[in-house]
Amino acid sequence: RDWNTHSHYCHTAQAVLAAVFRVMPPGKLMDSDAMTDVLEALAAYNARHYARLNGLLQKTYLLDLSLAALDPLSHTLPA
């Protein structure tokens, strides 16, 4: 859970979680109250990481648009 709280380690944490979820059936993970609390905390951090990555993706579109506007070869020449 601690790895998932920091954006620096979140990719590693997500890979480990994906491996655990592939191996363990969801019903077995939800058996204990402690695991339910952990999964709820992970879901909250996953939402934050998703929002952060979505914002970064939107910024790349702005960067692409800006670079295309600056590139003289990207514009067609009038005939």
Side-chain angles (χ1 to χ4, degrees), residues 1 28-40:
R1 174 172 51 182
K28 188 169 185 173
L29 289 174
M30 297 301 289
D31 284 345
S32 70
D33 290 335
M35 194 58 171
T36 302
D37 293 340
V38 169
L39 290 175
E40 287 175 357

Side-chain angles (χ1 to χ4, degrees), residues 68-69 71-79:
D71 185 12
L73 297 177
S74 68
H75 301 290
T76 57
L77 297 175

Side-chain angles (χ1 to χ4, degrees), residues 1 10 13-14 18-19 21 26 31 36 40 48 55 58 60 63 65:
R1 174 172 51 182
C10 71
Q14 293 299 311
F21 292 146
D31 284 345
T36 302
E40 287 175 357
R48 291 180 189 173
Q58 288 177 357
T60 63
L63 180 62
L65 179 68

Side-chain angles (χ1 to χ4, degrees), residues 9-20:
Y9 300 112
C10 71
H11 301 294
T12 305
Q14 293 299 311
V16 170
L17 286 171
V20 168

